Amino acid sequence: MNDPRISVLFPYRNAESTLGESLASVLGQQGPNFELLAVDDQSTDGGPEMLASLAQRDRRVQPLATTEAS
């Protein structure tokens, strides 16, 4: 995204059942340009795939993932 004015940090883990509604709420906001940094904390459900699909359709969405602690 070109020069977003706001970065929204959106951490989640195993939230597939509520992820769609939560993301729709954030993405429905009006105002300055923003990016949504969706940070997956090692989900085992379909949340990461849902975010990847959404990111292909909405360039404000940036899926990220935590790494496993050693």
Side-chain angles (χ1 to χ4, degrees):
M1 170 167 259
N2 293 338
D3 196 26
R5 294 182 62 198
I6 297 173
S7 295
V8 177
L9 184 59
F10 187 92
Y12 72 96
R13 181 168 192 218
N14 293 336
E16 182 180 16
S17 64
T18 58
L19 202 53
E21 184 176 351
S22 299
L23 292 168
S25 176
V26 174
L27 295 172
Q29 300 298 312
Q30 296 181 1
N33 291 337
F34 68 91
E35 64 183 349
L36 175 66
L37 305 174
V39 183
D40 171 34
D41 188 18
Q42 302 177 21
S43 292
T44 58
D45 63 3
E49 291 81 9
M50 183 184 294
L51 256 298
S53 176
L54 180 59
Q56 290 180 345
R57 297 187 314 271
D58 191 326
R59 60 189 215 143
R60 296 175 295 177
V61 178
Q62 303 295 319
L64 306 170
T66 61
T67 57
E68 188 173 340
S70 49

